[in-house]
Amino acid sequence: MATPIPVTIVSGFLGSGKTTLLNRILNSDTGMRVAVMVNDFGAINIDSELIVGQTDAMINLANGCICCTVESDLIEQLSRLIDSPNRPEYLIIEASGVSNPAKIVSTLRYPQFANRLSIDSTITVVDANQFADLEGDMAQLAMEQLDVADIVLLNKTDIASPEQVAAFRTRWGYPGIRLYETRHCDVPLSLILGTGHFDAHDLEENSLEQRQQPCVLHHDDHHHCDEHCHVGYHHEAHDQLFETWYWECEQPLSLSLLRSALATLPTTIYRAKGFCQLAELPDHCAVLHLVGSRHDIHPGEPWRNGPRTTRLVFIGTRGGFDREALEQTFSVCIAQSEVA
């Protein structure tokens, strides 16, 4: 019987830096044949295109939340991967920013995967500057992601204050957790891959000690508490908490007008990402990332054959933004020479 494939689960709230971490892993010499499963929440899977390494080993899971609607696709893809004649030596599963990774852990522990897959580590990436500002259901979800982690990357410490970092360590630095402070998810891979320290029972005990809260049930949705339920986990389907808006434009945009538009977005939009055609950068695709009020636009790969199109995905609270207003906001970003 073949050796079980070790699996690392990467989770974290919207914009924490998961894709940055994956790019670091895939563009490093791991000495292993690594496969990656990517799950994004929205109309298109932008995350899979933002990952720049080893695209031949990329598996896109069906769009939607991996812990609510995509489990069947995850099981099917895992089964195919295990039985593949060119099976990987290591597997990384990136959950969307709105997912609770506890469901993935439970899936990997199903009997059909016994002795075929082994959970090596569960990594949660945290935006050190954003975490304390999350409220309500968003804070609940971010804490659920932490509850399942045996490795925490406290990321973006270069823009967080010392007080924010210290407060997080005080709250979440419980025994058994390995917590690393990072900038741009720069961490030695030997600390996060091939560790073999994951223990679901220990994590459940830590969660009980930390939270001591009853299971929250929402009787108006389709979820129910089963044998995989962890104390304190929020069972509302995440498509009831979040919604996405997708914008596509075939005309070049003005960089200054685009930055102005991003600055006016409502605070109910937590994340935006995608690719832009800029008038100021005619030969290269521009990559856009927005987290809260912070945004970054930088040159990407040269345009290849095919249409040069801006494609952006926005993720926010359900009912928290006006789609028509957003359409108007970004339509005025078209470079003036194109309008004339």
Side-chain angles (χ1 to χ4, degrees), residues 3-189:
T3 303
I5 301 173
V7 182
T8 285
I9 301 167
V10 177
S11 71
F13 194 72
L14 299 164
S16 57
K18 299 182 295 298
T19 302
T20 298
L21 175 61
L22 286 184
N23 276 326
R24 285 198 177 277
I25 294 172
L26 293 177
N27 287 284
S28 300
D29 184 11
T30 63
M32 298 181 291
R33 190 167 58 253
V34 179
V36 176
M37 289 185 174
V38 179
N39 169 230
D40 205 0
F41 180 77
I44 59 172
N45 199 334
I46 284 287
D47 272 7
S48 64
E49 298 182 58
L50 290 170
I51 296 171
V52 297
Q54 299 190 13
T55 54
D56 57 330
M58 188 79 60
I59 299 171
N60 295 329
L61 296 174
N63 294 123
C65 179
I66 199 171
C67 68
C68 295
T69 60
V70 191
E71 185 191 19
S72 60
D73 189 32
L74 175 61
I75 292 172
E76 179 182 352
Q77 297 293 353
L78 286 171
S79 300
R80 288 182 180 178
L81 204 62
I82 292 170
D83 296 331
S84 169
N86 193 32
R87 69 198 300 266
E89 298 169 304
Y90 206 99
L91 173 61
I92 300 173
I93 301 175
E94 183 209 13
S96 75
V98 304
S99 295
N100 182 338
K103 185 59 181 176
I104 307 175
V105 172
S106 296
T107 301
L108 293 175
R109 296 168 70 189
Y110 285 173
Q112 66 255 48
F113 299 130
N115 301 318
R116 307 180 79 191
L117 298 172
S118 64
I119 303 176
D120 184 78
S121 58
T122 58
I123 302 172
T124 296
V125 186
V126 175
D127 183 336
N129 186 55
Q130 176 200 47
F131 184 83
D133 294 331
L134 297 175
E135 298 178 343
D137 289 325
M138 309 307 147
Q140 175 79 10
L141 175 58
M143 288 188 290
E144 289 171 357
Q145 294 168 343
L146 277 166
D147 270 341
V148 189
D150 65 327
I151 298 175
V152 174
L153 299 189
L154 186 57
N155 194 35
K156 305 187 183 182
T157 55
D158 52 325
I159 59 175
S161 68
E163 291 76 17
Q164 288 174 312
V165 172
F168 184 89
R169 279 190 167 276
T170 299
R171 175 66 180 86
W172 291 99
Y174 53 83
I177 204 77
R178 285 167 288 161
L179 196 158
Y180 306 114
E181 297 177 18
T182 64
R183 300 180 179 187
H184 308 290
C185 288
D186 191 2
V187 60
L189 297 189

Side-chain angles (χ1 to χ4, degrees), residues 103-329:
K103 185 59 181 176
I104 307 175
V105 172
S106 296
T107 301
L108 293 175
R109 296 168 70 189
Y110 285 173
Q112 66 255 48
F113 299 130
N115 301 318
R116 307 180 79 191
L117 298 172
S118 64
I119 303 176
D120 184 78
S121 58
T122 58
I123 302 172
T124 296
V125 186
V126 175
D127 183 336
N129 186 55
Q130 176 200 47
F131 184 83
D133 294 331
L134 297 175
E135 298 178 343
D137 289 325
M138 309 307 147
Q140 175 79 10
L141 175 58
M143 288 188 290
E144 289 171 357
Q145 294 168 343
L146 277 166
D147 270 341
V148 189
D150 65 327
I151 298 175
V152 174
L153 299 189
L154 186 57
N155 194 35
K156 305 187 183 182
T157 55
D158 52 325
I159 59 175
S161 68
E163 291 76 17
Q164 288 174 312
V165 172
F168 184 89
R169 279 190 167 276
T170 299
R171 175 66 180 86
W172 291 99
Y174 53 83
I177 204 77
R178 285 167 288 161
L179 196 158
Y180 306 114
E181 297 177 18
T182 64
R183 300 180 179 187
H184 308 290
C185 288
D186 191 2
V187 60
L189 297 189
S190 60
L191 296 179
I192 60 174
L193 299 181
T195 64
H197 293 310
F198 179 80
D199 188 319
H201 177 73
D202 285 349
L203 291 177
E204 289 165 5
E205 290 299 317
N206 282 328
S207 177
L208 285 169
E209 293 172 3
Q210 289 290 310
R211 304 286 292 285
Q212 289 298 315
Q213 294 181 4
C215 181
V216 180
L217 289 176
H218 292 255
H219 297 288
D220 57 346
D221 61 44
H222 65 276
H223 284 73
H224 61 278
C225 194
D226 60 16
E227 67 272 19
H228 301 301
C229 173
H230 291 255
V231 171
Y233 284 156
H234 196 291
H235 285 267
E236 184 170 0
H238 295 125
D239 58 3
Q240 301 301 311
L241 298 178
F242 299 92
E243 66 176 311
T244 64
W245 178 68
Y246 174 60
W247 188 65
E248 185 172 0
C249 180
E250 297 180 355
Q251 299 167 283
L253 306 183
S254 160
L255 177 59
S256 61
L257 293 176
L258 178 60
R259 290 192 185 279
S260 297
L262 294 172
T264 67
L265 290 177
T267 57
T268 49
I269 292 180
Y270 288 93
R271 184 75 165 102
K273 52 190 172 182
F275 306 95
C276 303
Q277 178 189 186
L278 297 179
E280 297 86 348
L281 193 69
D283 298 325
H284 286 72
C285 169
V287 180
L288 181 148
H289 287 282
L290 177 140
V291 181
S293 61
R294 305 190 311 269
H295 74 264
D296 173 69
I297 303 172
H298 62 269
E301 297 293 319
W303 288 107
R304 298 183 177 87
N305 295 332
R308 301 185 177 191
T309 305
T310 294
R311 295 179 297 125
L312 301 176
V313 169
F314 298 77
I315 306 174
T317 55
R318 178 162 292 279
F321 51 87
D322 185 326
R323 294 168 180 267
E324 292 185 4
L326 288 176
E327 182 76 38
Q328 294 175 3
T329 296

